[in-house]
């Protein structure tokens, strides 16, 4: 992490959140069934301190003009965990996740209510520098979208350039990010090549590496694998597993198996014609073995209606 | 919107049906095994032994089918539990068939003698009937997933244990006059009925897991 | 299955002989598509055919000469025809218009796509489309009556403060009907084309990349710099070239605001200029047979000039688009 | 926690990202300061005139805003506000001439409206006669005829060329594409003198509507071709494959699927082509002869057209003729605008 | 099927193939494990006669210019079965499937070798009317592509219009096709509405209905669900199950679970850098429980390398 | 390219490890149960009974884990077979624990008497050792998936059957002098060892299914 020293000093809330994360999704009491996942969690929160307290969404509502797309969603994302958001198309998963790093507001007519707490501070507070928020809450999109006019290496560092941050040792940072994104070995000999020459899966990992370079606390992923083949998908899932050791990850996915594989917690959204609501959240093991809500059960087991 | 997944549902239903078929075969087997041992009827005994082979085949086929369904449909939650439960139930049912087989084998071993002294005929008959009753009730539990009925099966099993104890005390009583060999036969016979009932209880308990997702 | 036949198999010829209806359809389209070739060839041929005598008589001086005189001696029409000044003037005005218009257009395109509130955007887009639809004679009228007086004043200011820059100098302080004013009219005329091409290209800047930039903590300008401009630069160049082509061929509007004279003038503020197209219109009415042939020859030169500029523009755009991807 | 603890209390939508009243007040103050300073600077320095006010104000407000943003958000924010100010300025600069043109045309043009403007011709009036005499009927009719004829010639050619480029993608596609682009660069006057040189020189033919239409068709072809091509290219390739996979011939696929799917776009292309040529003056100077009277015969006899009429009246040089020019150009503008609005409403309907 | 009478008489090979289909993929000997699928097959081939003998691909090679994309693939598709083609991206599945109805040849420079037998006749034979071939071998594409200028009803009948076929009772045919595609109930009240208003899944079923209207013997589907949400996907899979009772279906899919769910036979393609080859084909049960080839096992169980 | 799916692989490995742990516990249990019954050692017997509870818990936990893995990883082919096989193996192992438990219960029931007459001590000791050997070998089969080793387990089971027959013939021999009650005890004891070995065979056979996908 040495390469990040300068960056860290930018994030002004660095010292205050050294307490152990106590934010936990609701039914998080450890169960015998969830041992595997519990093990994972243990791996992932070594000292817990550098990860902060994660992210908390409180009573989030989101509108498109007059249309309420997401209603009253409260979710805590504990530091160092992977939370999957699942639900049928149009239930507001993307809308919700985009309120978490203030990308929602790019849509003309968009409005929201509620709070999103990053290390206890509302990111929607007046006077907040939104670009700094987005530096701390990275995002990976559905379609791999590296900047085609840049080389692979430049892409990794593009976040620094965009946010006009200085970093002492670019090469180290580049290697570290590519390493963490699981791409280093594949591209180390052609960092100067154009990013367009990579395969879809590699491009997506490059996008992940790009997000990592600004050292975010939280990484949002909106269907990051839906444009990829199964091989690349598994590769990305593996990367997610690795990343979760050092950050909080929230992933939207249509692929139930993917949610089952990669996440520690799963939240199920449903819209029922009206706005999207949170139906159930819990450890992934429980959601996929003994969901509490019948609608969750119907959804995860592929039953509808 | 109608239920989608009709193929999968058909397959699940098929699995349940096979379990019920197996149950029916097991019921017939135990009832006939009892008859054979009480009546020294070798023909029926042979039939039971043969039935057990069919039960074994059916169980293998069912297990293969369940694995295929899991591989092809990749179920989760209740569906997955139902299949895994069926996999375990089939093993229990197969063991129940084995027990009937063992009973029938005692008939065959002692033929043309009888294995059962006259004073124990009533008791063994009672054990046989209880076993049948338990197996029948178990079938209903499988069909209805009724957790309360499953408790009744456990109560019936207590009755079986009671009969078993009664049998053993008869054997070790000083009045026992049929020799060690007969006592050994009857010990094993008793144990077969008792294990038969145990497996039925085990099947019923699995329904509890199926419904709630927890081991009770 | 897959019975490893390791023999190399020759591709089989697929009989893709289409039905007669399709063959007819394709034949018709094939023929029709060559209409543009036909037209271009005809234009070139006819103009050179009619202007042939001029080229023969004037030689290379037709292009380089600065003199245009025609008189009837003994009932025989004679003349010296050189359109050098016109060509230089045409290029001077066109490039000046591009130099002023393209930055404004590019910034306007950025404004429309990324800064303007919805209402302003709708209004300005409509206005741009409207501008593109205005008849050129309207620009001429407006340039003559409204813009020229203002521009003359600006020209004076420029002359006063910037005459140390050679092109803002002038042999005499005569600023009316100067190349500068013509260039301003042309600027207004090409802004809609350049803007709409740029805007189109900018608006196609992939949303996912834009969002990626924002998600990395970019400000709007940082996003534009990293995503939109690399993506759209070729489009702006293409738009500029199209504007240039248009500017070089503009006739009526220039005719009305420019003082056409066969003098080599590179001072844009000075009220003397040249323009091939306008010159043709100017001379057409009173030209005799020989002179009108010279005018057709001038038309041919103009035709070739725009053809070359447009071809270069196409090459640039094509190259830029390819390297941008 | 974490479940939707049914807070049915209706939360109000908020937009925390929008400028607050405070922010707005701040920008108003910045503008006021800029205005005051501008006034002072123009008063105290040799800078003079509207232009001086305009540029000084823009420079000052841009600078002051950038400084203010710098204090709040650093270099990043300052750069950002600087560029947005430049962009806004460019938008204003584009807006001004159009407003001026429209204002001038309408305010000057309406003065020439009179009862017989649209019903009379200049057969019995001279352009220097008082405004109330004569009319422009002949020019309107001429324009309509010329535009229609040009469309009849160019639209089929253009669409077929576009089809060749998008559907057949034959070996010559690149070349044809190049030619079409080259054609779009032909100056209008070249089209005019070409028709003149090709048809009117050395033949007995004289200028007429059809001759003018030929010149205009040359200008119309590239516009319509390229717009149609864009439209056809937008039709997803899947649709063509779907048609072929259903056992259709290519011709059937194009006729039944591609063209109908592109219909409104093709209409837009046609209208844009018309708008392109309706205001052309230069080519007509050489090709339609000069008529002051109504001529309903498109293939014989001189004709007129609105732009041509404007041109002619301009050369008259008297206040009356100038007035006629402004009025004619206003009518032409209205015609072009009507076409333009139609095209836009069609293409907008396509989007929705 | 009454509405199809005219159409059938068009297909000149109607009477001759009344024999029972004996074409069977290689290891098709019924196994105990495959009972479920065997049952399905039984359902699906009631009299067998109207289904013909299916489709046979013999030593198919396909080139793009000089580049050999698919090498020597022989596959028999028995009448009334669903065959899934699976394999990693770029292994030539699409290319192969497009040789089966002669769509391959639309790509400039495309070439092929081998034979495709439809009812015993090579569809690449000289003098074959390719449009008639495509009438008998329908195709459904990855992205739903109803004709936007037509109404729902017109879309269904568009094949007839395009191929200039006459049909006596259009309304019956329309209803029948929509019914078979599982769309009738959802659209019966708005047959005159434009197809663009349908959801993605409905559009895809409309495309299926459109293919059915010309009464094809074989239906090719190239990733028909990859652009759809899971609900619509299941709906389409159900439709496929229904359709297989009356036709031969070949489906390319990236989704292993989908292949497992819908198909009777599965063929695994792999390219290994060179041209795509057929590695293994067999009853789906076997491919997903006991594949013979290690590469198949690795692929279906998500292992790579 | 390295193996992907590392999480899944870890989970599979964890399942195998738990099976081996269970095997180790079962080995200890049967070995100690034999000791307890031979030495009338109540403490050891209690320990065995307690161990069985732990085995049961571990089995439940393992089963839950396997179901979770199936639900979350949706394995097919060999991976799925490995998990389903583990599910069944765990049931066998649990039953083997039960058998040790039953043996220990006989110790407890007869305490402070001995259940084993002196002349049978050697035989029972032999049975206990054979059971332990079989269970140990079974552990190797699980660990190595060696189908040949699995055949050896079957051969060892034949030896156990041999010992079992020898036990019964001792009991029914006219020389038998320890009464019916003792005979009944020993009958059951013999059956427990025999069943223990049967379950070990069953576990070994499952490895065959795991490797080949077919029931042998
Ligand atoms: N830009 C937008 N303008 C208006 N409404 C929108 C916009 N984006 C989404 N919506 C509406 O908001 C609701 C939620 O959409 P959202 O994209 O969040 O769903 P989703 O769960 O992400 O679906 P999917 O799984 O298909 O991505 C939908 O009803 C959608 O129609
Ligand atoms: N139009 C084309 N021109 C040249 N090569 C092509 C073309 N289409 C495909 N190829 C090549 O042919 C090979 C097979 O491609 P194909 O599209 O059939 O693969 P696929 O298995 O369908 O992959 P996917 O699962 O990604 O759709 C690839 O190597 C590809 O690069
Ligand atoms: Mg979404
Ligand atoms: Mg493909
Ligand atoms: O044979 P059992 O293990 O059921 O006694």
């Amino acid at each position: 992490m040495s390469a990040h020293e300068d960056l860290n000093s930018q994030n002004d809330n660095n010292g205050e959140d050294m307490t152990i994360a106590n934010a936990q999704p609701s039914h998080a009491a450890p169960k015998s069934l969830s041992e595997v996942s519990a093990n994972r969690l243990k791996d992932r929160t070594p000292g817990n301190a550098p990860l902060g307290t994660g992210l908390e969404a409180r009573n989030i509502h989101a509108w498109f003009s007059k249309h309420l797309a997401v209603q009253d969603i409260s979710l805590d994302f504990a530091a160092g965990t992977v939370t999957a958001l699942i639900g049928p198309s149009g239930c507001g998963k993307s809308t919700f996740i985009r309120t978490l790093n203030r990308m929602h507001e790019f849509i003309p007519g968009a409005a929201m209510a509620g709070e999103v707490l990053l290390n206890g501070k509302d990111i929607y507070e007046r006077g907040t520098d939104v670009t700094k928020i987005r530096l701390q809450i990275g995002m990976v999109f559905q379609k791999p979208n590296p900047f085609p006019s840049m080389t692979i290496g430049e892409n990794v560092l593009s976040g620094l350039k965009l946010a006009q941050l200085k970093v002492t040792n670019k090469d180290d940072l580049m290697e570290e990010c590519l390493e963490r994104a699981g791409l280093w070995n594949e591209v180390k000999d052609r960092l100067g090549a154009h990013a367009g020459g990579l395969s879809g899966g590699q491009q997506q990992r490059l996008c992940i590496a790009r997000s990592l370079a600004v050292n975010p606390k939280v990484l949002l992923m909106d269907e990051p694998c839906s444009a990829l083949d199964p091989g690349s998908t598994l590769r990305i899932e593996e990367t997610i597993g690795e990343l979760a050791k050092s950050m909080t990850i929230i992933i939207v996915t249509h692929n139930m198996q993917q949610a089952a594989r990669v996440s520690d917690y799963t939240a199920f959204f449903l819209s029922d014609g009206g706005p999207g609501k949170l139906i159930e959240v819990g450890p992934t093991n429980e959601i996929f073995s003994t969901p509490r809500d019948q609608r969750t059960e119907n959804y995860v087991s592929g039953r509808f209606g | 919107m109608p239920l989608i997944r009709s193929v999968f549902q058909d397959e699940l239903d098929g699995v349940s049906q096979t379990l019920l078929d197996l149950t029916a075969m097991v019921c017939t087997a135990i009832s006939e095994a009892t008859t054979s041992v009480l009546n020294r009827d070798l023909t029926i005994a042979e039939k039971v032994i043969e039935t057990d082979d069919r039960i074994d085949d059916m169980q293998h086929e069912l297990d293969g089918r369940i694995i295929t369904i899991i591989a092809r449909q990749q179920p989760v939650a209740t569906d997955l539990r139902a299949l895994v439960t069926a996999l375990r139930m089939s093993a229990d049912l197969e063991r129940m068939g084995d027990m009937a087989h063992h009973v029938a084998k005692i008939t065959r071993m002692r033929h043309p003698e009888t294995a059962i002294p006259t004073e124990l005929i009533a008791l063994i008959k009672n054990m046989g009937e209880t076993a049948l009753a338990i197996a029948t009730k178990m079938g209903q539990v499988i069909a209805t997933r009724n957790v309360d009925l499953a408790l009744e099966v456990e109560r019936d099993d207590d009755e079986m244990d009671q009969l078993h104890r009664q049998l053993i005390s008869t054997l070790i009583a000083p009045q026992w006059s049929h020799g060690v060999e007969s006592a050994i036969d009857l010990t094993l016979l008793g144990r077969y009925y008792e294990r038969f009932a145990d497996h039925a209880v085990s099947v019923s308990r699995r329904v509890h897991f199926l419904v709630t997702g927890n081991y009770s | 299955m897959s019975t490893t036949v390791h023999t190399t198999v020759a591709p089989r010829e697929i009989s893709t002989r289409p039905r007669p209806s399709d063959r007819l359809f394709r034949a018709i389209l094939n023929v029709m598509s060559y209409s543009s070739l036909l037209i271009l060839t005809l234009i070139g041929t006819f103009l050179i055919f009619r202007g042939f005598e001029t080229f023969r008589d004037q030689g290379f001086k037709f292009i380089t000469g600065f003199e245009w005189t025609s008189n009837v001696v003994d009932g025989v029409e004679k003349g010296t025809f050189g359109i050098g000044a016109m060509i230089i003037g045409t290029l001077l005005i066109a490039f000046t218009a591009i130099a002023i218009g393209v930055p404004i257009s590019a910034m306007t395109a950025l404004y429309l796509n990324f800064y303007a509130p919805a209402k302003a955007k709708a209004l300005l887009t409509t206005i741009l489309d409207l501008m593109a639809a205005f008849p050129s004679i309207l620009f001429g009228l407006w340039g003559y009556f409204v813009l020229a007086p203002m521009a003359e004043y600006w020209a004076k200011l420029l002359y006063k403060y910037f005459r140390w820059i050679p092109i803002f100098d002038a042999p005499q302080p005569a600023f009316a009907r100067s190349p500068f004013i013509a260039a301003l009219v042309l600027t207004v005329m090409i802004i809609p084309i350049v803007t709409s091409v740029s805007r189109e290209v900018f608006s196609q800047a992939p949303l996912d990349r834009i969002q990626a930039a924002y998600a990395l903590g970019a400000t709007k300008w940082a996003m534009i710099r990293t995503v939109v401009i690399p993506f759209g630069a070729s489009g702006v160049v293409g738009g500029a070239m199209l504007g240039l082509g248009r500017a070089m061929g503009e006739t009526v509007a220039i005719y009305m605001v420019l003082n056409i004279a066969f003098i080599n003038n590179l001072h844009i503020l000075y009220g003397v200029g040249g323009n091939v197209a306008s010159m043709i219109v100017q001379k057409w009415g009173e030209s005799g047979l020989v002179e009108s042939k010279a005018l057709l020859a001038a038309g041919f030169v103009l035709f070739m000039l725009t053809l070359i500029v447009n071809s270069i523009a196409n090459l640039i755009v094509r190259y830029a688009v390819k390297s941008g991807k | 926690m974490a479940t939707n603890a049914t807070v049915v209390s209706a939360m109000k939508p908020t937009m925390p990202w929008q400028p607050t009243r405070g922010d707005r007040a701040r920008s108003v103050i910045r503008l006021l300061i800029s205005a005051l300073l501008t006034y002072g600077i123009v008063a105290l320095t040799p800078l003079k005139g509207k232009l001086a006010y305009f540029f000084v104000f823009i420079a000052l407000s841009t600078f002051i805003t950038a400084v203010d943003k710098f204090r709040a958000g650093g270099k990043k924010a300052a750069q950002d506000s600087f560029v947005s100010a430049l962009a806004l300025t460019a938008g204003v600069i584009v807006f001004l001439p159009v407003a001026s043109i429209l204002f001038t045309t309408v305010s000057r043009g309406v003065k020439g409206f009179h009862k017989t403007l649209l019903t009379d011709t200049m057969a019995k009036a001279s352009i220097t006669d008082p405004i109330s005499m004569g009319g422009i009927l002949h020019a309107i009719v001429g324009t309509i005829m010329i535009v229609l004829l040009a469309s009849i010639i160019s639209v089929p050619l253009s669409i077929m060329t576009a089809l060749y480029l998008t559907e057949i993608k034959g070996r010559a596609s690149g070349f044809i594409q190049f030619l079409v682009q080259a054609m779009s660069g032909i100056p209008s006057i070249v089209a005019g003198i070409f028709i003149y040189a090709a048809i009117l020189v050395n033949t007995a033919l004289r200028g007429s509507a059809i001759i003018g239409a030929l010149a205009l068709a040359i200008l119309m072809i590239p516009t319509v071709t390229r717009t149609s091509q864009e439209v056809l290219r937008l039709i997803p390739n899947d649709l063509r494959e779907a048609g072929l996979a259903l056992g259709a011939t290519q011709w059937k696929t194009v006729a039944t699927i591609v063209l109908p799917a592109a219909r409104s776009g093709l209409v837009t292309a046609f209208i844009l082509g018309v708008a392109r040529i309706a205001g052309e003056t230069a080519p007509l100077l050489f090709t339609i002869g000069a008529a002051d009277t109504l001529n309903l015969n498109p293939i014989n006899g001189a004709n007129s057209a609105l732009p041509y009429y404007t041109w002619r009246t301009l050369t008259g040089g008297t206040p009356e003729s100038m007035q006629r020019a402004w009025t004619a150009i206003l009518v032409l503008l209205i015609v072009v605008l009507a076409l333009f609005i139609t095209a836009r409403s069609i293409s907008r309907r396509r989007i929705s």
Side-chain angles (χ1 to χ4, degrees), chain A residues 64 67 69 87-96 107 222-223 252 254:
Chain A
F64 292 103
H67 168 64
S89 200
C91 66
K93 304 180 295 295
S94 299
T95 308
F96 172 70
I107 287 140
D222 194 353
E223 304 191 35
V252 171
H254 259 144

Side-chain angles (χ1 to χ4, degrees), chain D residues 24-39:
Chain D
R24 288 222 186 80
R26 215 180 160 87
S27 53
V28 169
I29 290 169
R30 280 194 304 255
L31 291 182
L32 280 178
I33 293 174
S34 312
L36 279 175
L37 284 176
T38 305
Y39 183 75

